[in-house]
Amino acid sequence: MVSSSLNICGNLLYIKCNFQGMKIAKIMFFSIILACMSLFPQKGSSVDSLLNSPNISILKRIGIIPISFWQKISYADSSFNCQFFPSCSNYSGLAIAHFGLISGFVMTADRIIRCNPFAHGYHIRSRKPLFHIDGRILNHIPKKILIKSNSNKSAAFAFGLSSILPGAGRIYAGRTWDGLLSFLTISSLANLTYRYHIKNNDTGHLFFGTLTMTFYLGELFGAYQAAISYNKL
């Protein structure tokens, strides 16, 4: 009886260790595939020009490759057309290329939050160059992440508000719907992170935890930028 119990426990331990090893192997395999694809980019999307650039590091290429895949899908269907110029995917690729992987993804999270039905009204309020020749909203990546502003809204205060309550800084800067959407997005991702943590699902916990942190940092960046570009109607 004792021998059988020991055998069962041993088998369960072997399966658990083997399962953990399989997960690590899958992650390593996926990383190797991405690294190899970054060395041999395919043509067919706008960000492929970045992948072909000799000035783009392998780490940045790995971040841009998923964007290239998405463009191959989205460019085939007009229903995926973006209201911004450059599009959110091109904006993301350019942000990663110019500012690095982490800053680029943070800026991408901010752009995704701002790509909503209220974007036209907020863009007109900001009094920036309005529209591209095809009617899309002009919104290029900033030349610098931190810039001075003559706005009557404090960028530091907006940053502080959003650090305490995500979305509050954008609301303070006059972008109420952006703030609400950001709060809902971050709350939903944080809830999913917690659920996977409770289930002891390391993969889900890591994936959604990374997304939560990315959108949280994107909220801080977005609140700062919203305060800088604030103008009363």
Side-chain angles (χ1 to χ4, degrees):
M1 185 71 177
V2 174
S3 178
S4 299
S5 299
L6 289 175
N7 285 334
I8 293 173
C9 291
N11 289 332
L12 290 174
L13 181 62
Y14 172 78
I15 292 172
K16 182 177 180 180
C17 293
N18 194 42
F19 179 70
Q20 293 292 337
M22 288 175 63
K23 289 201 297 184
I24 295 173
K26 287 179 180 179
I27 294 173
M28 291 179 64
F29 177 75
F30 183 69
S31 300
I32 293 172
I33 292 295
L34 283 180
C36 292
M37 292 181 67
S38 68
L39 296 175
F40 305 100
Q42 298 177 349
K43 295 182 179 180
S45 66
S46 297
V47 296
D48 283 341
S49 59
L50 296 174
L51 292 175
N52 288 315
S53 173
N55 300 321
I56 302 298
S57 66
I58 292 180
L59 188 61
K60 290 180 180 178
R61 290 171 189 260
I62 291 174
I64 294 173
I65 283 173
I67 304 172
S68 176
F69 282 149
W70 165 249
Q71 287 189 343
K72 287 177 174 62
I73 297 172
S74 62
Y75 282 14
D77 190 342
S78 60
S79 61
F80 289 111
N81 286 351
C82 183
Q83 62 183 323
F84 282 104
F85 179 87
S87 66
C88 290
S89 57
N90 285 323
Y91 182 97
S92 179
L94 290 169
I96 292 172
H98 284 79
F99 295 102
L101 204 59
I102 296 176
S103 296
F105 279 130
V106 168
M107 295 169 70
T108 300
D110 166 57
R111 167 62 96 85
I112 291 173
I113 291 297
R114 291 187 289 112
C115 191
N116 60 62
F118 308 98
H120 278 77
Y122 290 141
H123 191 70
I124 292 172
R125 177 183 294 181
S126 69
R127 299 177 188 173
K128 293 181 178 180
L130 293 179
F131 301 102
H132 188 256
I133 190 172
D134 61 6
R136 288 183 291 169
I137 303 169
L138 280 176
N139 180 232
H140 297 284
I141 61 170
K143 294 181 179 179
K144 296 180 180 179
I145 294 180
L146 301 178
I147 58 177
K148 294 181 179 180
S149 170
N150 296 322
S151 170
N152 56 356
K153 291 287 186 178
S154 171
F157 186 65
F159 183 96
L161 282 176
S162 282
S163 67
I164 299 171
L165 180 63
R170 294 185 197 256
I171 295 174
Y172 160 76
R175 291 177 174 259
T176 303
W177 287 106
D178 285 1
L180 292 174
L181 288 170
S182 182
F183 175 78
L184 290 174
T185 301
I186 295 171
S187 299
S188 299
L189 290 173
N191 181 55
L192 286 170
T193 302
Y194 177 73
R195 286 178 178 273
Y196 277 103
H197 173 70
I198 294 298
K199 294 178 181 179
N200 292 320
N201 187 319
D202 294 336
T203 303
H205 183 205
L206 177 61
F207 177 75
F208 286 105
T210 301
L211 280 180
T212 302
M213 181 56 64
T214 301
F215 274 87
Y216 175 75
L217 294 175
E219 165 58 26
L220 300 183
F221 173 77
Y224 181 89
Q225 291 290 326
I228 287 176
S229 62
Y230 174 83
N231 278 298
K232 289 185 177 180
L233 289 175

